[in-house]
Amino acid sequence: MKSYLPGFIIIGISLAIGLIGGGYFIGQTMYNAKVAINVAESKGLAERRVKADRAEWQVGYSVASGNGDNMQELYNRARKNQEAIIDILKKAGFSDEEMHIGVINNRYQEFRDENQNLVDEKYILTGSINIETDKVDLVADARSTVNELIAQGYHIVNNDPAYRFTSLNDIKPDMLSEASKNARIAANQFAKDAGVKVGRIKEARQGAFIIRDVGADYGDTRKLHKDVRVVTTITFYLAD
């Protein structure tokens, strides 16, 4: 009689191996799922109030021909405007290196009647002086003094200065450290409520640094003082 015992043994061994292998993969899947579940994502905020360290400001001026002015006289008047502004800026404490004097431009206008006959013409000379400085505290007073030229008959365009904070790299490390600590504090509170403990960091994502004028929802150049903020998002492992 032919024996089938070896075949049954082989089948039994194969089945056992399959069960063991299946059990391993099931166990590993459950372990991975548990690890994936036992994490907490937390956000940490850091803020700083800073002062602008750079200002950019432009003062424009113009003169228009009239009363029979010739071009040389008009140009001399434009130079007088320019020199008056430069004098004020120097007295305010700005150096030649901080002032960039633009060229004097000429614009021509002509006026015609309904029959297209020339009835008048005008030449307008315009120029500007750009100030780029780290002496941000001098700008406000200098602007007020420049405005006084208007009462003397000067045509001045006193543009709003742009105040910028350019030293972000100097405060980045401390702010990121603070944001990370705040994220862990929030995670610890969550873990305490859940009856678990916060472990090591699984993943960390840094948000963008945002600079805004104090009290403003948008814009970062109009005010001398700024608010800087950053949010980090950190995923922590949790342990029983």
Side-chain angles (χ1 to χ4, degrees), residues 61-63 71 74-83 101-107 124-128:
Y61 58 90
S62 65
V63 295
M71 189 56 69
L74 192 61
Y75 180 78
N76 291 340
R77 286 171 53 201
R79 285 298 303 271
K80 182 181 178 182
N81 276 244
Q82 184 187 86
E83 290 166 2
I101 302 170
V103 299
I104 297 176
N105 294 303
N106 178 30
R107 180 161 57 93
I124 302 173
L125 300 186
T126 62
S128 64

Side-chain angles (χ1 to χ4, degrees), residues 12-28:
I13 292 172
S14 299
L15 180 60
I17 293 173
L19 289 174
I20 291 171
Y24 168 79
F25 288 116
I26 292 172
Q28 184 67 23

Side-chain angles (χ1 to χ4, degrees), residues 3-228:
S3 174
Y4 294 95
L5 183 58
F8 283 114
I9 292 174
I10 294 172
I11 293 172
I13 292 172
S14 299
L15 180 60
I17 293 173
L19 289 174
I20 291 171
Y24 168 79
F25 288 116
I26 292 172
Q28 184 67 23
T29 300
M30 292 178 66
Y31 172 77
N32 289 338
K34 183 178 180 181
V35 169
I37 291 172
N38 288 343
V39 296
E41 183 178 279
S42 178
K43 294 183 183 294
L45 169 67
E47 293 183 303
R48 290 284 190 282
R49 178 67 55 86
V50 299
K51 183 179 180 181
D53 54 18
R54 192 72 179 167
E56 300 166 5
W57 168 37
Q58 183 185 79
V59 181
Y61 58 90
S62 65
V63 295
S65 60
N67 300 321
D69 289 335
N70 60 42
M71 189 56 69
Q72 184 61 55
E73 292 171 335
L74 192 61
Y75 180 78
N76 291 340
R77 286 171 53 201
R79 285 298 303 271
K80 182 181 178 182
N81 276 244
Q82 184 187 86
E83 290 166 2
I85 296 169
I86 292 173
D87 184 59
I88 288 175
L89 295 176
K90 286 185 175 181
K91 288 179 179 178
F94 298 111
S95 66
D96 289 334
E97 290 73 22
E98 294 171 306
M99 293 183 285
H100 306 277
I101 302 170
V103 299
I104 297 176
N105 294 303
N106 178 30
R107 180 161 57 93
Y108 172 72
Q109 288 182 327
E110 60 180 31
F111 304 89
R112 298 179 179 274
D113 61 19
E114 58 185 12
N115 296 317
Q116 295 302 307
N117 297 313
L118 182 65
V119 295
D120 195 8
E121 57 184 355
K122 181 180 292 187
Y123 291 92
I124 302 173
L125 300 186
T126 62
S128 64
I129 300 171
N130 294 287
I131 301 93
E132 296 181 13
T133 180
D134 57 3
K135 302 169 185 172
V136 295
D137 292 319
L138 301 182
V139 174
D141 288 341
R143 290 192 73 209
S144 297
T145 306
V146 167
N147 270 352
E148 294 176 4
L149 292 174
I150 297 174
Q152 302 176 34
Y154 291 83
H155 294 279
I156 302 294
V157 180
N158 195 344
N159 293 286
D160 290 333
Y163 294 106
R164 305 186 188 281
F165 178 67
T166 65
S167 302
L168 181 60
N169 286 337
D170 294 340
I171 64 174
K172 268 186 177 182
D174 287 342
M175 289 190 67
L176 288 173
S177 177
E178 180 183 338
S180 298
K181 289 177 181 178
N182 289 336
R184 184 172 284 276
I185 289 172
N188 282 334
Q189 183 60 51
F190 167 81
K192 181 180 178 181
D193 295 340
V196 293
K197 295 180 181 179
V198 175
R200 60 189 176 87
I201 293 175
K202 177 179 183 290
E203 181 182 25
R205 301 191 303 276
Q206 173 195 319
F209 279 82
I210 298 175
I211 303 176
R212 291 285 184 267
D213 290 332
V214 171
D217 294 329
Y218 59 90
D220 62 350
T221 62
R222 294 183 64 84
K223 294 185 178 181
L224 189 59
H225 292 91
K226 323 284 180 185
D227 285 329
V228 183

